């Protein structure tokens, strides 16, 4: 056997091995990985949704708190103005 024919034979054998390995991957491993990937993406999506909801709730709480403070401040100012008006009228 010449060197070139031996190289061609080795190349053909290697190609057959790689092809067999690729077919095994496609038949056995890839479906399992695809299922895991879908499961992980669902978990990730639900996690992102929980984060969004928590952020919105936090924003709503802080906004409501700021509005309450503003209302209290406005009522205090209005009460003070009313007292000053009563004092001036006397």
């Amino acid at each position: 056997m010449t060197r070139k024919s031996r190289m061609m034979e080795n190349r053909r054998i290697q190609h057959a091995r790689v092809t067999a390995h690729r077919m095994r991957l496609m038949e056995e491993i890839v479906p399992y990985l695809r299922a895991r990937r879908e499961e992980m993406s669902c978990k990730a999506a639900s996690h992102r949704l929980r984060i969004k909801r928590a952020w919105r709730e936090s924003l709503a709480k802080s906004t409501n708190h700021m509005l309450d403070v503003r209302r209290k401040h406005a009522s205090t100012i209005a009460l003070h103005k009313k007292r000053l008006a009563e004092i001036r009228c006397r």
Side-chain angles (χ1 to χ4, degrees):
M1 215 177 190
T2 65
R3 180 183 159 118
K4 188 168 185 170
S5 63
R6 192 168 50 231
M7 284 176 52
M8 291 299 287
E9 182 68 20
N10 287 341
R11 186 168 183 229
R12 188 183 62 76
I13 291 170
Q14 185 65 24
H15 179 71
R17 285 180 183 162
V18 169
T19 304
H21 180 69
R22 187 177 297 141
M23 292 304 290
R24 189 179 137 264
L25 283 177
M26 292 300 288
E27 292 170 357
E28 297 174 10
I29 298 171
V30 171
Y32 170 74
L33 291 177
R34 188 176 297 129
R36 289 285 298 150
R37 188 180 302 142
E38 289 172 3
E39 180 183 331
M40 290 296 287
S41 69
C42 289
K43 285 182 181 178
S46 66
H47 182 66
R48 285 193 302 270
L49 192 60
R50 283 196 305 270
I51 290 173
K52 282 182 184 178
R53 285 181 181 152
W55 186 80
R56 284 187 192 132
E57 288 173 5
S58 168
L59 182 65
K61 283 181 184 177
S62 64
T63 304
N64 288 337
H65 176 70
M66 287 172 53
L67 289 174
D68 288 343
V69 169
R70 190 180 296 164
R71 281 189 210 108
K72 287 178 185 176
H73 186 65
S75 66
T76 305
I77 291 172
L79 184 63
H80 186 66
K81 284 182 180 179
K82 186 176 178 182
R83 285 182 184 160
L84 286 176
E86 288 176 358
I87 291 172
R88 285 189 192 126
C89 290
R90 289 185 196 168

